[in-house]
Amino acid sequence: MNLTTESITVHMGIRGHCAEYFPELPEEFTHQCGVGLTLRQVMVSLGINPLLIMGVVVNGKLAKKDYLLQEGDKVILLSPPTGG
């Protein structure tokens, strides 16, 4: 049996306070992940708690965390607004 592990490349951006939540990740990076994964699954694999992410933009459009990632997607993670 011949097993192959397919992967895709997505471009990730972290905006707002997300950068403070995940200081080990750069603001912009390229990530290789398995085919058929949701954004939520990839966030968890990167150590990102999906509950800390208020919004997700994929290729310029609002998306859900259960969005099925595709090759070349441009993803921006947004944190909740804060202030006083």
Side-chain angles (χ1 to χ4, degrees), residues 52-69:
L52 296 176
I53 304 301
M54 178 191 78
V56 178
V57 176
V58 178
N59 301 323
K61 296 180 182 176
L62 286 176
K64 297 187 182 268
K65 294 173 191 167
D66 292 321
Y67 171 82
L68 189 63
L69 289 166

Side-chain angles (χ1 to χ4, degrees), residues 7 44 47 53 62 72 76 83-84:
S7 66
V44 169
I53 304 301
L62 286 176
I76 297 175

